[in-house]
Amino acid sequence: MKPAFPSRRRAMGALAALALLPRAGSANTLHQRPLRVVFPYPPGSPGDVVLRAVAMRWQAQTGQPLLVEHRSGASGTLGAEAVLQSAPDGHTLLFATSDILVNNTALFRNLRYDARRDFKPLAQVGPVPLVLAVPVHLQADDLVAFTAWASARTIAYGSWGEGSHAHIVGEALMRRLGLRAVHVPYRGLAPMLQDLIGAQINAGFGVPPSVAPLVAGGRLRALAVTGEARSVAMPGVPTLLESGYPEPAFRLRQWAAFMARSSVPQGLLTQLEFELAAALAHENTRTVLLSAGFESARAAGPAQAQALIDSDLAVVPALIRELGVLPQ
């Protein structure tokens, strides 16, 4: 007859798993020092909205500040490398977009990090669609009118960086529409939108948190969005799919994730996951994200984030090669 209690091995395994979970009254190293989050974009990017909201909750939860370090340059590789060179103590995180974790694997011949090997996802924010926007003076209310106008000239379209999702979608769309177009990469989304408002470029690709307020304020006009469904923040703007463009590039969406070095001890990773999930799930954070134009206030956990990284890695590098975006 088998004993009514679990085996010693199973009992020890259960105790080990419980030891990884944060407990009320237990020592938590995250409550002892500030958290540094490296964001590889200049100030004014949509990710700043997320980081400010999370920072407020982090302070309330841990009693410690969350310090954001903007380290842009080299398509985000400088920021990722800085985190990789930090101590694996769980006090330095990377807040990275899909461009940094996925696109760069195909853009750089000698990339010094591997998204799967060197980093562990803790929480994911997004995804959000990309928005094709044009200056308001341009007499084009939809993609058909824009194509007719652009067909008579060489146009310039902007993105927030070379090899970014915005660049990939833009290049694919210009080719699909048969337009003569020059890509103008910017160091971040904010300066690109300023030039688009001023009609220094003819079109640009952004995301709803940044573009929707400008459209609502009459400063830009939105013609289409990527993804399988219309944007919650911009429901009046059709998708490229429903406009007759079903190619994989037009299904891409942008997302971001909090990442830790993979060499951080599992106990600390579990604490970080717990605290970030609580910060992102708080009502105040959800309200901020929704009002800022994010599609959903729900953040995905590590497993969902890793699945999204893997799915994009199976598609995006091939698109980059197909479009001839040259590695650096």
Side-chain angles (χ1 to χ4, degrees):
M1 181 176 178
K2 292 184 179 180
F5 48 85
S7 68
R8 184 174 184 274
R9 178 179 295 178
R10 290 178 61 191
M12 292 299 290
L15 287 173
L18 286 172
L20 296 178
L21 296 175
R23 301 184 301 277
S26 67
N28 188 332
T29 60
L30 299 180
H31 293 199
Q32 299 169 6
R33 289 168 50 195
L35 180 70
R36 171 184 171 226
V37 178
V38 177
F39 185 41
Y41 288 94
S45 303
D48 284 325
V49 176
V50 178
L51 291 171
R52 282 195 297 269
V54 171
M56 291 183 64
R57 292 310 311 159
W58 188 271
Q59 178 89 43
Q61 292 168 198
T62 68
Q64 294 291 335
L66 185 155
L67 307 175
V68 177
E69 178 181 331
H70 292 89
R71 186 172 291 200
S72 59
S75 299
T77 61
L78 297 182
E81 289 170 7
V83 175
L84 196 57
Q85 293 164 6
S86 68
D89 58 7
H91 289 275
T92 300
L93 303 183
L94 175 69
F95 188 55
T97 64
S98 40
D99 295 342
I100 295 167
L101 296 172
V102 176
N103 302 31
N104 283 353
T105 63
L107 291 172
F108 290 85
R109 293 189 180 92
N110 299 308
L111 194 62
R112 296 179 182 176
Y113 63 87
D114 182 288
R116 287 193 180 111
R117 180 194 65 213
D118 296 321
F119 296 105
K120 289 286 187 182
L122 303 169
Q124 170 214 317
V125 180
V128 294
L130 277 69
V131 186
L132 169 61
V134 297
V136 289
H137 83 275
L138 196 71
Q139 299 303 308
D141 293 327
D142 55 33
L143 197 56
V144 174
F146 171 75
T147 304
W149 175 86
S151 297
R153 52 188 55 83
T154 298
I155 68 167
Y157 74 92
S159 77
W160 59 76
E162 191 81 35
S164 63
H165 269 31
H167 181 192
I168 295 169
V169 173
E171 190 65 23
L173 184 60
M174 298 305 151
R175 294 188 186 190
R176 181 69 172 80
L177 297 177
L179 301 178
R180 298 186 301 276
V182 176
H183 172 235
V184 183
Y186 287 79
R187 192 173 178 177
L189 181 54
M192 188 276 288
L193 290 174
Q194 285 302 312
D195 273 6
L196 185 60
I197 292 170
Q200 302 302 308
I201 52 177
N202 308 117
F205 291 83
V207 290
S210 295
V211 177
L214 298 174
V215 172
R219 304 182 71 189
L220 289 176
R221 182 176 290 116
L223 303 184
V225 298
T226 63
E228 304 284 346
R230 292 193 178 198
S231 167
V232 174
M234 308 178 74
V237 182
T239 67
L240 286 166
L241 271 67
E242 66 183 279
S243 300
Y245 304 100
E247 287 82 356
F250 308 137
R251 301 174 188 269
L252 290 181
R253 295 184 296 170
Q254 184 81 346
W255 48 266
F258 288 92
M259 310 289 289
R261 288 190 57 181
S262 57
S263 53
V264 172
Q266 183 58 51
L268 281 172
L269 290 175
T270 303
Q271 290 178 5
L272 286 163
E273 293 167 10
F274 178 87
E275 297 289 1
L276 286 170
L280 287 164
H282 194 274
E283 182 180 356
N284 291 352
T285 308
R286 293 163 61 87
T287 299
V288 168
L289 296 186
L290 286 174
S291 63
F294 285 85
E295 298 297 287
S296 170
R298 292 186 177 182
Q304 298 97 317
Q306 188 61 60
L308 188 54
I309 292 171
D310 291 342
S311 65
D312 272 12
L313 281 170
V315 174
V316 175
L319 283 174
I320 290 175
R321 290 190 292 269
E322 178 185 330
L323 293 169
V325 178
L326 298 177
Q328 301 176 29

